[in-house]
Amino acid sequence: MTTMPITQAGLLPTLPGSAYTDPATFRREQERIFETRWICAVRAGDLLTPGSFRTVTVGRENVLITRARDGALRAFLNVCRHRGARLCTEESGQVRRNLRCPYHAWTYGLDGRLVAAPNLRDVPGVDRADYGLIGVALREWLGYAWVCLADTPPSFEETVIGSVTARLGDADAVERYRPADLVLGRRIDYEVRANWKLIVENFMECYHCASIHPELVQVLPEFAGGYAAQSYVGHGAEFSGDAEGFTVDGQAGFGRLPGLAEEQDRRYFATTVRPQVFLNLVPDHVILHRMFPLAPDLTRVECDWLYAADVIDSGADISASVELFHRVNEQDFAACERTQPAMHSRAYGTGGVLVPTEHHITEFHHWVTSLLH
Amino acid sequence: MTTMPITQAGLLPTLPGSAYTDPATFRREQERIFETRWICAVRAGDLLTPGSFRTVTVGRENVLITRARDGALRAFLNVCRHRGARLCTEESGQVRRNLRCPYHAWTYGLDGRLVAAPNLRDVPGVDRADYGLIGVALREWLGYAWVCLADTPPSFEETVIGSVTARLGDADAVERYRPADLVLGRRIDYEVRANWKLIVENFMECYHCASIHPELVQVLPEFAGGYAAQSYVGHGAEFSGDAEGFTVDGQAGFGRLPGLAEEQDRRYFATTVRPQVFLNLVPDHVILHRMFPLAPDLTRVECDWLYAADVIDSGADISASVELFHRVNEQDFAACERTQPAMHSRAYGTGGVLVPTEHHITEFHHWVTSLLH
Amino acid sequence: MTTMPITQAGLLPTLPGSAYTDPATFRREQERIFETRWICAVRAGDLLTPGSFRTVTVGRENVLITRARDGALRAFLNVCRHRGARLCTEESGQVRRNLRCPYHAWTYGLDGRLVAAPNLRDVPGVDRADYGLIGVALREWLGYAWVCLADTPPSFEETVIGSVTARLGDADAVERYRPADLVLGRRIDYEVRANWKLIVENFMECYHCASIHPELVQVLPEFAGGYAAQSYVGHGAEFSGDAEGFTVDGQAGFGRLPGLAEEQDRRYFATTVRPQVFLNLVPDHVILHRMFPLAPDLTRVECDWLYAADVIDSGADISASVELFHRVNEQDFAACERTQPAMHSRAYGTGGVLVPTEHHITEFHHWVTSLLH
């Protein structure tokens, strides 16, 4: 087992309670974090055919993601340029050729161009090219569409791919799971009554594992010690000798994904892609969480369980596999929800403390604070 | 058919999105528009006998309207002068002689005078005349009680009657329908999750008619062209040759109201009485909408269908008649509700655009803006 | 019957309407009244055994009250010192030896000391004594735990006991009912959609008794005159000759509590302990209300009916006894709820008026105002 990292002595401070409750702070986070960074929005595989679309909340905007005729994914603000009606009100759907606003029939191509508008042809001095949908930057990676609302997005390579590489120690490590080729086995939506930062902090540390995750510690006994797999580079938590697979009862999973390195077998790797993705890698599947902050005390978390296509095609029973991390999710979110109300207390006015095994959370706090100021 | 009006070239801007969402703007609208202009509050025919009352929300106030012993309608702030209890909490009701506050039994005449209060007679230096209910200006027109919360109400003739005359081109045009003598056939309350100005704008233009009002366009085929009946003086939209009446399926209505001019037959006239009334006139009935803004994104709309007394007395089936505009209402309000959420978007930060057939909405925007500043 | 007090002539003003609706005023009241004064929190008899606990909202804080091993009650802010999880989320419960935070297993004694925390022993420079629960001042009186969030609480003798003495005219008067020895017969929780001050004002005056409390006036006929028992020192309202007991139908109660003075028999005494307790004393039981303001327009009221132990032990039917004041509560709270909405009206912008029999409410207004400024 990897040598434990050297941690700083004493207890470091957390953020003050108001950082988790103040509406003005939350607005600034939306504006300066969620509306400027790359956000993992939708699974590409959910948009298979041209004309299929998804709508997703990014920061305070509703973003429409479609697959165009050329097969590429495109993202737009979900707002008609005429009088502001929402083009698509459903979370997902399929159009035939165009996106037609139901209010006054302004009609846009799947590439966002305004292709028709009643009576507009005859109006002098109007160029339809000025009234296309407002585009949003989009990148595909790991089988997901990532979007960025900034006019000048930060480097995807540095801020997204680089953060995964830094944690896993190797740019190839995540690619060996071939996440883009995996198939969605199960998706669960959670509505968590807690600030998004409490959820990130929870995911980053394992000091709570012994208290609230008995099933997880059964499979990953080193988690009982309180050190998160995330806290040192390249380390994956080793499966218990009793566990045949990463399942709720230790039963066997579905075989190692092709292409995995030997040192990736029987190990659990996890990393956070700030601000809103948690990535969990085990030999036979990948679990990816996307977080969407909705209010200072409300966050939606969408969790995907991804498997090899042949596992899903064969109709294999994935329930013991899904159930393990679903329980972890429910245990974590309950902990976050019991923490949120105390953020208002004078007892948390200057915040709490981090024990040494949680000290890497400080770097997350610095990152948030630096973006807000 | 009337010559189409000359419209300005190009596209004019709408109000910015924040005008439809900002709580401070909404408060200012309540204060400077809904609490200073004449507001169509209740149908006089709903208060037939002395002692009958209605309560209605005008701006941010609750107004109590009663029929007094002398047969006249009176309006008051619905607040006891003693400790502030609401006198009447029901939307409508009937008292015998007086309005008695249920809390401490202060008792007011139907004319608002304080007529009794326990123990008060013996208190030196108290003149009951100082503690009557606070009156609200009231005018009756078209069979409705219009109230105004301003200390010095604007001219009813200019701001209410004049606006109808300006649209219909003739002071007698609306009176020929004898709206005050008509009888309520049906009333439907709508709760619309949209800003009141989106509802006004929707009512003012017909560019959306072809998209969302198939039944209406069937009866009024010129509406397919996008020109609202409201956009030029004196014009009424002509019924289709296939339509025997203004009904959802074109079946016959109930005969021309007595007194209508020849040129009013088989035509639909509509006008807006700012800030909150929509008036629709067809040969056999009148439809009147009253809007009550409750929040930046919530508006109550009460719609009355009014018929000749003998139609209602005979028990005639008015369902095909009511259904036509009820569908129009539902179609319009759905459009407004899909527009409201996008008012927050950066895509609508500076607003959208008006096509030429919508350009008269600009005048409404100027009117609102001038009252707020 | 006692001589009626001399009251000032004329009508005095109330507080302005905004005092009952303004969120900033409400926050200041929480900060400067409910978080600085002694608050009657829980009945001591609800925490009989060591390890039993209750959680209660005091001002904007959640306070945890436990019975420690030494038999004493202790109060703490209900927040773990580590990462801020709420220690106990239930309203009441029982632990075995310690209070263990379910998130990371930090464990506190019933006296609040941090007794264990995983991995913390090995961290240099950390003194567990620095991380005990944050204590809250606690006093027991009348069988209740009273708590105070101030760093330096005001004198309990002056602000709590003294206020009861001032009203009843005698320090022994309330003690003769032996409230600490009585047993809870019934508890009813009310959620009142009104500002807490409206509820206090209502309890302080009896000008409304004739209007809304027919059952109470039947038992206490002098209340028909509008003078509250509270308005003069030492006075108790005498039972009607027709009433055998303080019951909804005048049926007999359960005999005079032992130790009562002759002049306390067949009389009703009531007093307010500011800011949130109403105390009612009748020969065979005691009724105590605790108020907890939750929002400018929302207050929780918990009402306890307390009887001699032998009455409760015998299984006696207390329903006619409870029903009388339960009806009074429902009548009062309905009056407060019909008053709250009018506090927003321009008709109450500068407030209403107090008649002479309500003039002692002015002193309450002065008390509130002086604490806020």
Side-chain angles (χ1 to χ4, degrees):
Chain A
M1 188 171 154
T2 321
T3 313
M4 287 297 162
I6 293 163
T7 51
Q8 194 178 336
L11 306 180
L12 293 178
T14 67
L15 294 175
S18 62
Y20 304 88
T21 61
D22 178 38
T25 299
F26 182 73
R27 271 199 305 276
R28 219 159 37 234
E29 289 171 346
Q30 293 281 45
E31 184 185 333
R32 303 202 188 170
I33 298 178
F34 290 90
E35 297 174 9
T36 66
R37 317 297 294 183
W38 286 101
I39 300 300
C40 187
V42 299
R43 179 121 187 112
D46 291 335
L47 300 168
L48 284 178
T49 54
S52 60
F53 69 84
R54 291 254 162 178
T55 59
V56 61
T57 300
V58 177
R60 295 159 301 181
E61 295 290 341
N62 194 267
V63 173
L64 173 64
I65 300 172
T66 65
R67 190 166 299 276
R69 301 254 138 233
D70 62 6
L73 294 176
R74 302 279 169 85
F76 309 101
L77 295 181
N78 185 12
V79 179
C80 178
R81 295 296 304 279
H82 170 222
R83 294 263 301 284
R86 201 162 262 192
L87 279 180
C88 301
T89 53
E90 300 78 26
E91 285 220 344
S92 66
Q94 172 81 39
V95 297
R96 287 232 291 186
R97 299 192 61 84
N98 293 309
L99 296 156
R100 183 177 175 278
C101 179
Y103 196 171
H104 302 87
W106 281 36
T107 304
Y108 303 88
L110 295 172
D111 57 2
R113 284 183 306 114
L114 180 62
V115 296
N119 303 1
L120 205 62
R121 191 176 298 272
D122 311 328
V123 182
V126 173
D127 183 352
R128 282 201 309 226
D130 294 339
Y131 297 98
L133 296 179
I134 295 175
V136 172
L138 183 148
R139 282 286 299 265
E140 280 192 67
W141 192 53
L142 307 182
Y144 286 85
W146 303 63
V147 300
C148 181
L149 289 167
D151 292 332
T152 311
S155 161
F156 191 84
E157 282 66 24
E158 282 174 29
T159 61
V160 177
I161 299 176
S163 101
V164 174
T165 304
R167 156 69 185 99
L168 299 178
D170 176 353
D172 292 335
V174 68
E175 296 293 358
R176 289 197 203 99
Y177 293 84
R178 296 193 193 162
D181 299 333
L182 300 182
V183 171
L184 183 67
R186 183 79 181 278
R187 172 173 294 156
I188 302 181
D189 260 7
Y190 304 88
E191 193 177 85
V192 188
R193 298 214 65 89
N195 186 270
W196 68 278
K197 298 189 296 299
L198 291 180
I199 301 173
V200 173
E201 294 161 13
N202 169 281
F203 187 74
M204 289 183 73
E205 53 93 358
C206 204
Y207 186 44
H208 66 270
C209 290
S211 309
I212 69 175
H213 296 319
E215 300 88 347
L216 186 65
V217 168
Q218 190 85 15
V219 177
L220 305 174
E222 71 178 73
F223 275 12
Y227 282 86
Q230 299 202 39
S231 44
Y232 27 105
V233 173
H235 176 69
E238 195 171 5
F239 288 9
S240 154
D242 297 336
E244 291 186 60
F246 193 75
T247 52
V248 72
D249 53 4
Q251 67 173 254
F254 303 102
R256 198 206 294 184
L257 288 167
L260 285 203
E262 195 61 44
E263 67 270 19
Q264 291 176 309
D265 200 13
R266 294 187 58 75
R267 285 194 179 263
Y268 163 90
F269 295 85
T271 188
T272 306
V273 185
R274 294 184 299 219
Q276 51 88 253
V277 169
F278 307 145
L279 184 61
N280 305 276
L281 307 165
V282 289
D284 64 337
H285 64 286
V286 166
I287 305 166
L288 189 141
H289 298 71
R290 285 162 288 149
M291 285 201 320
F292 301 95
L294 301 177
D297 60 353
L298 181 63
T299 307
R300 180 181 171 186
V301 184
E302 210 166 320
C303 184
D304 288 352
W305 281 259
L306 306 167
Y307 296 85
D310 58 357
V311 170
I312 299 304
D313 291 348
S314 71
D317 179 3
I318 59 172
S319 58
S321 176
V322 168
E323 181 67 14
L324 176 53
F325 224 88
H326 173 53
R327 287 200 196 168
V328 169
N329 284 340
E330 292 198 313
Q331 292 154 349
D332 280 336
F333 300 155
C336 293
E337 289 185 343
R338 85 181 294 148
T339 302
Q340 181 66 32
M343 296 296 101
H344 288 280
S345 172
R346 59 170 72 176
Y348 217 71
T350 58
V353 290
L354 300 172
V355 303
T357 56
E358 300 170 312
H359 279 187
H360 56 295
I361 292 176
T362 297
E363 205 269 321
F364 168 64
H365 291 159
H366 288 162
W367 180 81
V368 168
T369 306
S370 69
L371 286 173
L372 297 189
H373 292 99
Chain B
M1 189 171 155
T2 321
T3 313
M4 287 297 162
I6 294 162
T7 51
Q8 192 178 339
L11 307 180
L12 294 178
T14 67
L15 294 175
S18 62
Y20 304 88
T21 62
D22 178 39
T25 299
F26 182 73
R27 270 199 307 276
R28 218 159 39 234
E29 290 171 345
Q30 292 280 45
E31 184 186 332
R32 302 202 189 170
I33 298 178
F34 290 90
E35 298 174 8
T36 66
R37 315 299 293 185
W38 286 101
I39 299 300
C40 186
V42 300
R43 180 118 187 113
D46 291 334
L47 300 168
L48 283 179
T49 53
S52 59
F53 69 85
R54 289 255 161 177
T55 59
V56 60
T57 299
V58 176
R60 296 160 300 181
E61 295 291 340
N62 193 268
V63 173
L64 173 64
I65 300 171
T66 65
R67 191 166 297 278
R69 302 252 137 236
D70 62 5
L73 294 175
R74 302 279 168 83
F76 308 101
L77 295 181
N78 185 11
V79 178
C80 178
R81 296 295 304 279
H82 169 223
R83 292 263 301 283
R86 201 162 263 193
L87 279 180
C88 302
T89 54
E90 300 77 28
E91 285 221 343
S92 66
Q94 172 79 39
V95 297
R96 289 232 290 186
R97 298 192 61 82
N98 293 309
L99 296 156
R100 182 177 176 278
C101 179
Y103 197 173
H104 302 87
W106 281 36
T107 302
Y108 303 88
L110 294 172
D111 57 2
R113 284 183 306 112
L114 179 63
V115 295
N119 303 2
L120 205 63
R121 192 177 298 272
D122 311 327
V123 182
V126 173
D127 183 353
R128 282 201 310 227
D130 294 339
Y131 296 99
L133 296 178
I134 295 175
V136 172
L138 184 148
R139 283 285 298 266
E140 281 191 67
W141 192 53
L142 308 181
Y144 286 85
W146 304 63
V147 300
C148 180
L149 289 166
D151 291 332
T152 310
S155 160
F156 191 85
E157 281 65 24
E158 283 174 29
T159 62
V160 177
I161 299 174
S163 102
V164 175
T165 304
R167 157 70 186 101
L168 299 179
D170 176 355
D172 293 335
V174 68
E175 297 293 358
R176 290 196 203 100
Y177 292 83
R178 296 194 193 162
D181 299 332
L182 300 182
V183 170
L184 183 68
R186 183 78 181 278
R187 173 172 293 156
I188 302 181
D189 259 7
Y190 303 87
E191 192 176 86
V192 187
R193 299 215 65 89
N195 186 272
W196 69 278
K197 297 189 296 301
L198 291 179
I199 301 172
V200 173
E201 294 160 12
N202 169 280
F203 187 74
M204 288 183 73
E205 52 93 358
C206 204
Y207 186 44
H208 66 270
C209 290
S211 309
I212 69 175
H213 296 318
E215 300 88 347
L216 185 65
V217 169
Q218 191 84 15
V219 177
L220 304 174
E222 73 178 71
F223 275 13
Y227 284 87
Q230 299 203 38
S231 46
Y232 27 107
V233 172
H235 175 69
E238 195 170 5
F239 288 10
S240 155
D242 297 335
E244 292 185 58
F246 193 75
T247 52
V248 72
D249 52 6
Q251 65 174 255
F254 304 103
R256 199 206 295 185
L257 288 166
L260 283 204
E262 195 61 43
E263 66 270 21
Q264 291 176 311
D265 199 12
R266 293 188 59 77
R267 286 194 179 262
Y268 163 92
F269 295 85
T271 188
T272 306
V273 186
R274 292 183 301 216
Q276 50 88 251
V277 169
F278 308 145
L279 183 62
N280 305 275
L281 306 165
V282 289
D284 63 337
H285 63 287
V286 167
I287 306 167
L288 189 141
H289 298 71
R290 285 163 289 148
M291 285 201 320
F292 301 94
L294 302 177
D297 60 354
L298 182 62
T299 307
R300 180 180 170 186
V301 183
E302 210 166 320
C303 184
D304 289 352
W305 281 258
L306 305 167
Y307 295 84
D310 57 356
V311 170
I312 299 304
D313 291 348
S314 73
D317 179 3
I318 59 173
S319 59
S321 178
V322 168
E323 182 66 14
L324 176 52
F325 224 87
H326 173 53
R327 285 201 196 168
V328 170
N329 284 339
E330 293 198 313
Q331 292 154 349
D332 280 336
F333 300 155
C336 294
E337 289 186 342
R338 85 181 294 147
T339 302
Q340 181 66 33
M343 296 296 102
H344 289 280
S345 172
R346 60 170 70 174
Y348 217 72
T350 56
V353 291
L354 300 172
V355 303
T357 56
E358 299 170 312
H359 280 188
H360 55 295
I361 293 177
T362 297
E363 205 268 323
F364 168 64
H365 291 160
H366 287 165
W367 180 80
V368 168
T369 306
S370 69
L371 287 174
L372 298 189
H373 293 100
Chain C
M1 188 171 153
T2 321
T3 312
M4 286 298 161
I6 293 162
T7 51
Q8 193 178 336
L11 306 181
L12 292 179
T14 68
L15 294 175
S18 62
Y20 304 87
T21 61
D22 178 38
T25 299
F26 183 72
R27 272 199 305 277
R28 217 155 44 230
E29 290 172 344
Q30 292 281 44
E31 185 185 331
R32 303 201 188 171
I33 298 178
F34 290 89
E35 298 175 8
T36 67
R37 315 298 294 183
W38 286 100
I39 299 300
C40 187
V42 299
R43 179 119 187 114
D46 291 334
L47 300 168
L48 284 179
T49 54
S52 59
F53 69 84
R54 290 255 161 178
T55 59
V56 60
T57 299
V58 177
R60 296 159 301 182
E61 296 290 339
N62 193 267
V63 173
L64 173 63
I65 301 172
T66 65
R67 190 166 297 278
R69 303 250 137 238
D70 62 6
L73 293 176
R74 301 280 168 82
F76 309 101
L77 295 181
N78 186 11
V79 179
C80 178
R81 295 296 304 279
H82 170 223
R83 293 263 300 284
R86 200 161 264 193
L87 279 180
C88 302
T89 52
E90 300 78 27
E91 285 221 342
S92 65
Q94 171 80 38
V95 297
R96 288 232 290 185
R97 298 191 61 83
N98 293 309
L99 296 157
R100 182 177 175 279
C101 179
Y103 196 172
H104 301 88
W106 282 35
T107 303
Y108 303 88
L110 295 171
D111 56 3
R113 284 183 306 114
L114 179 63
V115 296
N119 302 2
L120 204 62
R121 191 177 299 272
D122 311 327
V123 182
V126 173
D127 183 353
R128 281 200 309 226
D130 294 340
Y131 296 99
L133 297 177
I134 295 174
V136 171
L138 185 148
R139 283 285 300 265
E140 281 191 66
W141 192 54
L142 307 182
Y144 286 85
W146 303 63
V147 300
C148 180
L149 288 166
D151 292 330
T152 310
S155 160
F156 191 84
E157 281 66 24
E158 283 175 28
T159 62
V160 178
I161 299 176
S163 101
V164 175
T165 304
R167 156 71 185 98
L168 299 178
D170 175 354
D172 292 334
V174 68
E175 296 293 356
R176 289 198 203 99
Y177 293 83
R178 297 195 194 161
D181 298 333
L182 300 182
V183 171
L184 183 67
R186 183 77 182 278
R187 171 173 294 156
I188 301 181
D189 260 7
Y190 304 87
E191 193 177 85
V192 188
R193 299 215 64 90
N195 185 271
W196 69 278
K197 298 189 296 299
L198 291 180
I199 302 173
V200 172
E201 294 160 12
N202 169 281
F203 188 74
M204 288 183 73
E205 52 94 357
C206 204
Y207 186 44
H208 65 271
C209 290
S211 308
I212 69 174
H213 297 318
E215 301 89 347
L216 185 65
V217 168
Q218 190 86 14
V219 177
L220 305 174
E222 72 178 72
F223 275 13
Y227 284 87
Q230 298 203 40
S231 45
Y232 26 107
V233 173
H235 176 70
E238 195 171 5
F239 289 9
S240 155
D242 297 335
E244 293 184 57
F246 193 75
T247 53
V248 72
D249 53 4
Q251 67 173 256
F254 303 103
R256 199 206 293 185
L257 288 167
L260 284 204
E262 194 60 44
E263 68 269 19
Q264 291 177 310
D265 199 13
R266 294 187 59 76
R267 285 193 178 263
Y268 163 90
F269 295 86
T271 188
T272 305
V273 186
R274 292 184 301 219
Q276 50 88 251
V277 169
F278 307 144
L279 184 62
N280 305 276
L281 306 165
V282 288
D284 64 336
H285 64 285
V286 166
I287 305 167
L288 189 141
H289 298 72
R290 285 163 289 148
M291 284 200 323
F292 301 95
L294 301 176
D297 60 354
L298 182 62
T299 307
R300 180 181 171 186
V301 183
E302 211 165 320
C303 185
D304 289 351
W305 282 259
L306 305 167
Y307 296 85
D310 57 358
V311 170
I312 300 303
D313 291 347
S314 71
D317 179 3
I318 59 173
S319 59
S321 177
V322 167
E323 182 66 14
L324 175 53
F325 224 87
H326 173 53
R327 286 201 197 168
V328 170
N329 284 339
E330 293 198 315
Q331 292 153 350
D332 280 335
F333 300 154
C336 294
E337 290 185 342
R338 86 181 294 147
T339 302
Q340 181 65 32
M343 297 296 101
H344 290 279
S345 172
R346 59 170 72 175
Y348 217 72
T350 57
V353 290
L354 300 172
V355 302
T357 56
E358 300 171 312
H359 278 188
H360 55 296
I361 293 177
T362 296
E363 205 268 322
F364 168 64
H365 292 159
H366 288 163
W367 180 80
V368 168
T369 305
S370 69
L371 286 174
L372 298 189
H373 292 98

